[in-house]
Amino acid sequence: MKHENVALFPGSFDPFTNGHLDLTQRGAALFDHVVVAVAHNPAKTSLFTPEERVDMIRASVKKLKNVTAMHFAGLVVDCAKQVGAQTLIRGLRAVSDFEFEFQMGLMNRRLSPGLEIVFLMPDQEYTYLNSTLVKEVAKHGGPIQGLVPPPVERRLLERFGRRAARRGKE
Ligand code: ADP
């Protein structure tokens, strides 16, 4: 990967949505290689394990030949160093994202002065989309088609379908 322009796209991705996919595609067009990195944060309750999230991302980005997925624990800047990324990709959906992203961006730059942070905007149709909303809709049996890539849709239906079936037996 030497001399390649590598970008790291870190996040929780619990689960990966079409908004995340949109950003990954934009990143793949801008950089030689994009690494989608699932943050493993034991303090946060998540629906899917980091391994499951990585599997779903890999299945969703199969057609993008310069995109790979992994999970990591610890600092984003250390993960960036490990994969040889000079740039971080983050998303801005609305002004409400700005303050948090700005603080985190400045902290990451302080921790790793050589790192550049690039903010990308998704297509307008994904600006309202986030993983929490998708989980809520799926949990209550609402339609999630078009909100997440098909491999994620299958896993969500499996997960909540099984829970609903278990509840039925109780
Ligand atoms: P985190 O917990 O690190 O914010 P997320 O998985 O929620 O992780 O998001 C990862 C990145 O993707 C963030 O920069 C977030 O702003 C961006 N993002 C999330 N949802 C969307 C979306 N619908 N469109 C574009 N970017 C998004």
Side-chain angles (χ1 to χ4, degrees):
M1 278 199 201
K2 227 173 169 197
H3 304 308
E4 274 202 325
N5 215 343
V6 181
L8 186 77
F9 180 26
S12 307
F13 306 115
D14 186 42
F16 194 70
T17 67
N18 278 344
H20 295 135
L21 179 61
D22 178 292
L23 248 57
T24 307
Q25 284 164 333
R26 289 174 198 278
L30 288 170
F31 297 94
D32 294 325
H33 194 97
V34 174
V35 181
V36 183
V38 172
H40 176 55
N41 182 358
K44 251 187 177 176
T45 9
S46 54
L47 178 63
F48 295 104
T49 65
E51 290 81 6
E52 287 173 323
R53 285 179 259 164
V54 169
D55 279 352
M56 283 184 273
I57 294 169
R58 286 194 181 133
S60 308
V61 301
K62 231 179 186 161
K63 288 197 182 131
L64 301 170
K65 296 299 171 208
N66 60 339
V67 176
T68 51
M70 63 180 286
H71 59 84
F72 72 99
L75 294 174
V76 166
V77 291
D78 290 336
C79 178
K81 218 170 280 168
Q82 187 197 326
V83 302
Q86 307 87 346
T87 308
L88 284 189
I89 295 175
R90 293 287 291 178
L92 282 181
R93 285 161 289 189
V95 181
S96 50
D97 278 340
F98 180 77
E99 195 157 348
F100 173 70
E101 293 293 343
F102 190 64
Q103 282 176 357
M104 203 163 57
L106 287 177
M107 179 55 81
N108 279 329
R109 191 189 267 170
R110 183 191 160 95
L111 294 171
S112 183
L115 201 62
E116 283 303 337
I117 299 139
V118 164
F119 295 101
L120 297 176
M121 287 188 304
D123 190 286
Q124 214 170 297
E125 79 175 287
Y126 302 125
T127 50
Y128 66 93
L129 197 55
N130 67 54
S131 302
T132 307
L133 266 180
V134 168
K135 281 184 281 193
E136 274 305 296
V137 174
K139 191 166 131 190
H140 298 290
I144 49 168
Q145 205 181 7
L147 304 181
V148 292
V152 178
E153 189 183 340
R154 278 195 292 276
R155 289 289 267 274
L156 278 169
L157 291 176
E158 231 177 74
R159 181 64 59 98
F160 289 117
R162 266 209 293 274
R163 275 191 191 173
R166 246 200 329 264
R167 269 204 303 275
K169 282 187 199 153
E170 284 164 5

